[in-house]
Every structure is written in C-alpha cells, then in structure tokens.
Amino acid sequence: MLSQHIKGVGAAPGLNIGQAIWWRKEKPVVETRSISDTDAEVEKLNQAIEKAREQIQELRSIASQRMSDEEAAVFDAHLAFLDDPGFTGEMKNRIQSKKQNAESICQEVTDEMSQLMASLDDEYMQARADDIRDVGTRLLLILSGKQPFDPSLLKPGHVVIAEELTPSDTAQFPEGISGMVTERGSKTAHAAIMARTLGIPAVLGLGEAIRQIEDGDIIVLDGDQGTIQINPDKETEAAIRQQIKKQNEAREQALKEAKADAYTADGKRIQVFANIGSLNDVDIALKNHAEGVGLFRTEFLYLENDHWPDEEEQYDAYAKVLKAFGDRPVVIRTLDIGGDKDLPYAELPKEENPFLGHRAIRFCLSNPDIFKTQLRALLRASVHGNLWIMFPMIENLAEIRQAKALLDECKNELKNEDISFAENIPVGIMVEIPAAAINADLLAPEVDFMSIGTNDLTQYTLAADRGNEKVAHLYDAAHPAVLRLVKMTCDAAEKAGIVVGMCGELAGDTAMTEALVGLGLHELSMSAGTIPEVKQKVRQTDSEKAKELAAGLLSQKDGDQVRRFIQEQKS
Ligand code: PEP
Ligand code: MG
C-alpha cells in the first residue's frame, strides 16, 4: 500500500474521498489503406457521422437536464462540427482525392484542424481544438468499431481518473461521483467548469504521477489545495472522513442560515447576490438564497446562437430571470463580447491584443443597431421585475454618456410605439479598467451604481493575462494594487451616494469577506455555490474592525502578504 501526496491544479473546490476508477480511452490504431471505391468509403463516413450525431444529441439532452444551457451548448458546437465543410466536408473531399480509407483521413483532418486551432492565440479557439478532437475521436471509434468507455461502470463514491476528460465524458457522470482527477487540464477547461456546476471536487493537470493509480485505490482529493493523496493509512483516512463530515455539516448549516438576508454583527446590510450565466443558473441561485443577481452575463444568448439574437428572443430570456427574482434587483450586463469571447457569425476581425481591443461597450457603441436591440429588449422586460442595467468595460465619461443616450433613444422609440417599460431603471457601470477606478470620482456622479469586476481589473492592473497559466503566479486579485483601486472606487461611490458592488471572483473568496466589507462594498455577487458561506462570514464581521483590517491591507507588499496579514489578525 502506498500513500503519497501529489500536487496539481485545484479546479473545483471541496474535500472528498472515494475509490479510483480509470476512465480508459481506447485509442484506435489507424492504418492507412488505399481504396478504389471512394463513394462507398464516403458513405461509410456518412453513416459514422449520423451515428455520432445520435450520440451527441443524447449527451446534449443529458447535459441540459443536469447542467446549464451554457454547458449543454458545448454539444451544439460538436453537432455543428459534424456538418462543417472545413471538417467532415474536408474528410469527404480527401477520401475522393487521396483514395485512402476513412479512418486515416479522419485522423489526419482531426489532427490538422485541432493543431491549427490550438496554435491560435485565443482561448475560445483553443477550447474549440478540444471540441474538434472530441468529435474526431468519436468518429474514429465508430469507424473502427471500438467501444468507448462504458459509463455504467461508474458508481456513487467513485473518483474518476483519466488522462483528460471532455465535456462529453463528464456529462455522463451519474449522481454521487466523489471527484475527478486528470493528468492534463486546467481551471478553465470545459470539464473543470462542469465539475464546479455539478459540485464535484476536481484536481486536474497532475501529470504522469497519476499513472501509478490503480482501479480500487482510495483517493483523497482536496479541490481547494489542488492535491490528491493515494491510499492514505487507516488513521489518516478516518481523520479525513471526519473532516469531510464536518465540511458537509458546516455547509448544511450555512445553507439553512442563508435564508435570511445578510447583516454584519453590528447591523450593516451587505447584499449577497449571485452571478448567473444562463437561465438554468437561476434555480441554483435561488436554492442558495441569492438576494438578487449582481451580474447576469448575457453573452450566452449570443454564444449559443448562430445569428444575432433578436429583440423577442432576448426579451423572453430577460423577462424569465426578472420574474424569478420578483422585487429583488437583477443587474443585467449588456453584451461583453470580444476579448476571449468570439462570435463566429459576428466576423470580428483578428486583433493583436484582443483584451485591449474592440470589445464590450466599445463594440456596442460602434454597432448601435446590435446594442439598441438589446437595450429595447431590456426595457420591455423591465416591467416584469426589478431591472438594473450595467455597461461593461467603461473607461471614460463619454462612453457612459453615449450609452445612456442610446438608452434614452430606445425609451423614446418605445414611448412612440406605446410599449411600456419601468420608470427609473438604475443604470450603472462595471469598474474593471484601472482608469475607471482611478477616475471613479468623475464617473460616479453620472451613474446609479458601480460594480467592480476584479477578474479584468486584476489582469489589467498587474499586466497578467487571466487565462495564461504561465503568469498565473502574478495574477492575484488580493494584490494591494488591486485593493487600492477597489478602495478608490468605494470612496468615490460613498461621496456620490451611490451603491457599489463587486462581481469579480474575489467577491466569493470567503477569506476576503471581512476585508471587502471594510473597504466599503455594499454588495457582493458570486457563483451561487459560495453564497451561504459568504453570508456566514458577513454575519461574523464587525464593520468597524473590518475598516481597520482593510486599512492595514493597503500597505502590504503583495497578495501573499495580504492573505498572511488577514490570517494573523484572526489568530
Ligand atoms: C470581471 O471582469 O470581473 C467580470 C465579472 O466580468 P467577466 O468575468 O465576465 O469578464
Ligand atoms: Mg470583465
């Protein structure tokens, strides 16, 4: 029996223990053969495509029942590849021109296309490379008559071990899986996002060290620390089971208490909201007792479609969310496209530095028709609840004024058309560009609220790409430079008498809750799963002591020191 710790990437939080089961992937050995009847070979490929289509449709329906629309939409991309002239179309052309068997052509085209996409400096395209490989492997398995892994072997309590897991794999996990562990993969991999949605701890990117794991080994995974332990001794195992029990009880307790709104120990109200990315997230948000929505990322409406969503489609989606939250605020962010989020049908020109480029509000202001379609849909939906409209990536005053002028134009149009909308819809901005934080005193008087997007604010302040693993050690939202910008924004909001919130990932970091209250935030918005714990932290916070803590943080030298300082104050 061997007991060993291995370090990887903590991709979905939680501590758990379970029995290892390898998700083995057969790699078909492909031989290249010459063929004479190319039509028959193309027909063989066509049949494989149809079989693959059935399988993917089945996966899509499982995923949409168990996860969100956004995650199920991954399979729409897979279905689209089956009809893509540059992919399966190219395979058919090559079978005819090279007179070779379908398997070898399928392998060749899959390799070429996935390598090309992986080499592009664009996170979205790199994720598509994984999708292409997934679809190509599926076709190859069908063509060569091999059976993929049988997911019915998975039982509750299993920890799934694999070289790599794709969304098609994780969608087939039954209820009760204890965790997932992979050789390759990062925090931003689709599979990691799915694990977070399903609430399964995940440790990815552990490298070849995981090959020593055998079916039946006992695996402890710590999704927060990013470590696994293989076959712990009996004493350690018992201690860990005890810790898991406590973790689950604490979670149950936090969830029970989360029904009530959050106030600090000395009675200051802090609103704890959910970030949502699709309609399916609404349920999870309500179950975790979100007091409203602090960020509704509307991109999914655009990413899911193969055309610009029209006013009616958007109105339906916004109205559903607003109705679900009744009189609770729902902050809907206007389109934040560009950067790493590409829209194939938008035909956005390639940019050298897309994160510094023509994205979000910049794109919307230069495409007023697209922007106004969304604004009209939002205004029309506003009668169904408590809508707040938020503009992303604001850098200067002129942008706010232009966006508000377009909103007024839409209001006038609707009035002329006798279509009703709510009076006094609060209009706000995201503060996620350092200039907006530094000049927050100039911007605040023009808006009703501000929400700090620490995901982008951190990458721009520290010049560290949020998706680049090589600079991940530099990317830290708790860096004092970021916290100083947060403080400037909160002070400006206070002076202008407006609400200030935070909707970047930092808002859901329970180690930082007290500090964020102390910096002056009124509202914290996060992935729904962490709402109960953050509410608990708010209740344990004294707002005056929190101010002292926050002041101390601003003179720390880096993010590590900030976290250490917080720890020391506690002990
Ligand atoms: C942010 O930048 O912090 C944010 C919340 O927006 P997104 O992650 O969608 O860019
Ligand atoms: Mg952002």
Side-chain angles (χ1 to χ4, degrees):
M1 274 246 186
L2 125 119
S3 171
Q4 194 188 342
H5 280 89
I6 316 176
K7 176 103 183 94
V9 178
L15 179 70
N16 220 341
I17 190 166
Q19 224 180 18
I21 179 165
W22 269 94
W23 183 294
R24 293 190 199 282
K25 300 197 175 185
E26 276 211 71
K27 290 207 188 75
V29 184
V30 177
E31 283 172 11
T32 306
R33 281 183 289 109
S34 298
I35 40 130
S36 48
D37 189 349
T38 52
D39 288 345
E41 204 65 12
V42 168
E43 184 46 32
K44 194 168 123 189
L45 178 62
N46 279 333
Q47 283 174 12
I49 292 171
E50 283 323 304
K51 184 101 196 277
R53 197 186 312 282
E54 283 166 24
Q55 292 178 354
I56 298 169
Q57 274 162 347
E58 172 72 20
L59 287 173
R60 196 201 188 288
S61 100
I62 300 172
S64 66
Q65 282 157 24
R66 300 195 46 213
M67 294 174 228
S68 72
D69 287 348
E70 203 173 357
E71 275 121 23
V74 169
F75 299 107
D76 290 333
H78 286 201
L79 288 169
F81 281 130
L82 290 178
D83 295 320
D84 188 331
F87 186 50
T88 48
E90 179 62 20
M91 291 179 196
K92 291 174 202 174
N93 291 342
R94 282 198 208 178
I95 291 173
Q96 298 287 8
S97 61
K98 293 178 86 172
K99 298 191 189 314
Q100 283 174 357
N101 57 326
E103 293 88 337
S104 87
I105 295 288
C106 176
Q107 173 100 73
E108 182 180 290
V109 174
T110 304
D111 287 350
E112 272 174 29
M113 231 176 124
S114 59
Q115 277 159 19
L116 175 74
M117 287 187 175
S119 71
L120 297 176
D121 188 17
D122 179 322
E123 227 181 280
Y124 179 82
M125 294 310 276
Q126 285 164 2
R128 294 286 80 78
D130 292 341
D131 291 333
I132 280 274
R133 257 197 307 273
D134 197 339
V135 177
T137 309
R138 181 177 302 284
L139 282 172
L140 266 181
L141 284 169
I142 297 169
L143 282 167
S144 47
K146 298 248 169 143
Q147 291 305 317
F149 175 82
D150 176 5
S152 71
L153 294 172
L154 300 180
K155 299 283 177 271
H158 271 148
V159 173
V160 180
I161 318 286
E163 276 178 31
E164 199 171 24
L165 286 165
T166 65
S168 335
D169 303 333
T170 44
Q172 300 176 79
F173 284 9
E175 297 280 334
I177 289 295
S178 294
M180 58 193 242
V181 166
T182 67
E183 186 173 331
R184 294 192 299 275
S186 71
K187 238 182 192 158
T188 52
H190 280 322
I193 296 167
M194 291 204 176
R196 289 198 285 274
T197 306
L198 293 169
I200 302 173
V203 182
L204 310 185
L206 285 147
E208 291 182 6
I210 70 161
R211 295 195 189 166
Q212 60 189 295
I213 299 175
E214 290 174 12
D215 284 340
D217 279 349
I218 297 296
I219 306 292
V220 175
L221 12 38
D222 185 335
D224 299 284
Q225 302 298 323
T227 56
I228 67 163
Q229 199 179 345
I230 309 169
N231 291 329
D233 59 45
K234 287 285 166 230
E235 249 169 66
T236 317
E237 183 179 334
I240 285 168
R241 287 196 189 277
Q242 199 54 31
Q243 225 177 313
I244 293 170
K245 193 165 162 247
K246 273 202 195 131
Q247 167 195 280
N248 295 344
E249 284 166 3
R251 166 94 200 144
E252 280 295 306
Q253 184 59 26
L255 195 61
K256 254 190 230 157
E257 291 169 6
K259 283 194 189 111
D261 289 347
Y263 288 85
T264 60
D266 54 330
K268 188 172 174 216
R269 173 101 165 90
I270 303 291
Q271 291 179 299
V272 185
F273 286 175
N275 290 349
I276 62 172
S278 80
L279 300 181
N280 277 20
D281 294 344
V282 168
D283 264 359
I284 306 177
L286 290 171
K287 275 191 197 128
N288 283 286
H289 307 292
E291 298 169 21
V293 172
L295 168 65
F296 179 10
R297 292 181 166 101
T298 56
E299 289 76 63
F300 88 97
L301 275 171
Y302 296 79
L303 290 166
E304 236 179 27
N305 275 309
D306 55 4
H307 59 271
W308 290 106
D310 64 22
E311 189 177 310
E312 218 49 42
E313 287 171 76
Q314 296 195 47
Y315 163 79
D316 282 346
Y318 306 148
K320 276 195 189 114
V321 177
L322 285 162
K323 281 180 196 164
F325 279 88
D327 58 2
R328 300 280 192 169
V330 174
V331 180
I332 303 190
R333 176 176 76 184
T334 58
L335 179 60
D336 183 5
I337 211 65
D340 61 337
K341 299 171 202 140
D342 190 19
L343 274 187
Y345 57 86
E347 294 178 3
L348 304 172
K350 182 152 174 49
E351 296 178 296
E352 281 298 322
N353 290 301
F355 274 116
L356 303 182
H358 194 229
R359 59 175 288 204
I361 197 70
R362 304 165 180 189
F363 173 85
C364 286
L365 291 176
S366 55
N367 290 278
D369 290 345
I370 292 168
F371 194 27
K372 280 177 69 182
T373 303
Q374 182 171 40
L375 295 176
R376 280 178 58 102
L378 284 168
L379 288 171
R380 282 179 49 204
S382 66
V383 295
H384 297 294
N386 184 0
L387 170 68
W388 297 36
I389 296 177
M390 177 160 76
F391 301 126
M393 290 287 293
I394 290 290
E395 183 248 325
N396 62 49
L397 208 54
E399 288 166 342
I400 300 177
R401 291 189 175 150
Q402 282 173 52
K404 280 170 71 171
L406 285 170
L407 187 63
D408 283 342
E409 239 178 81
C410 294
K411 285 183 180 174
N412 287 333
E413 282 174 18
L414 292 178
K415 268 185 202 144
N416 291 337
E417 293 164 34
D418 250 346
I419 300 176
S420 52
F421 54 89
E423 294 296 324
N424 305 324
I425 300 168
V427 174
I429 56 169
M430 284 199 67
V431 174
E432 51 186 340
I433 296 180
I438 295 164
N439 283 348
D441 58 331
L442 305 177
L443 307 183
E446 299 275 326
V447 292
D448 302 307
F449 69 97
M450 299 192 285
S451 183
I452 305 173
T454 48
N455 306 343
D456 277 316
L457 187 62
T458 304
Q459 75 164 346
Y460 294 133
T461 305
L462 305 178
D465 183 336
R466 60 195 262 187
N468 184 339
E469 284 165 24
K470 293 208 180 74
V471 293
H473 63 290
L474 297 173
Y475 182 95
D476 187 354
H479 192 291
V482 180
L483 300 184
R484 286 178 184 215
L485 294 176
V486 171
K487 177 82 168 80
M488 291 174 87
T489 311
C490 292
D491 288 350
E494 167 92 23
K495 194 157 162 249
I498 62 168
V499 173
V500 60
M502 178 179 283
C503 58
E505 291 301 310
L506 188 67
D509 182 343
T510 47
M512 296 296 293
T513 308
E514 185 182 357
L516 297 180
V517 170
L519 286 166
L521 287 146
H522 306 130
E523 173 249 294
L524 300 171
S525 190
M526 62 209 68
S527 301
T530 44
I531 288 174
E533 278 84 4
V534 170
K535 282 192 175 185
Q536 230 174 19
K537 290 280 174 191
V538 168
R539 292 196 182 100
Q540 292 161 2
T541 297
D542 175 281
S543 66
E544 285 309 314
K545 282 204 192 118
K547 266 190 209 158
E548 280 169 34
L549 173 75
L553 296 185
L554 300 182
S555 54
Q556 301 304 311
K557 293 185 183 59
D558 57 32
D560 286 344
Q561 274 203 10
V562 163
R563 290 178 200 279
R564 234 175 288 133
F565 186 81
I566 293 174
Q567 280 298 331
E568 283 163 13
Q569 301 302 306
K570 264 200 264 166
S571 49

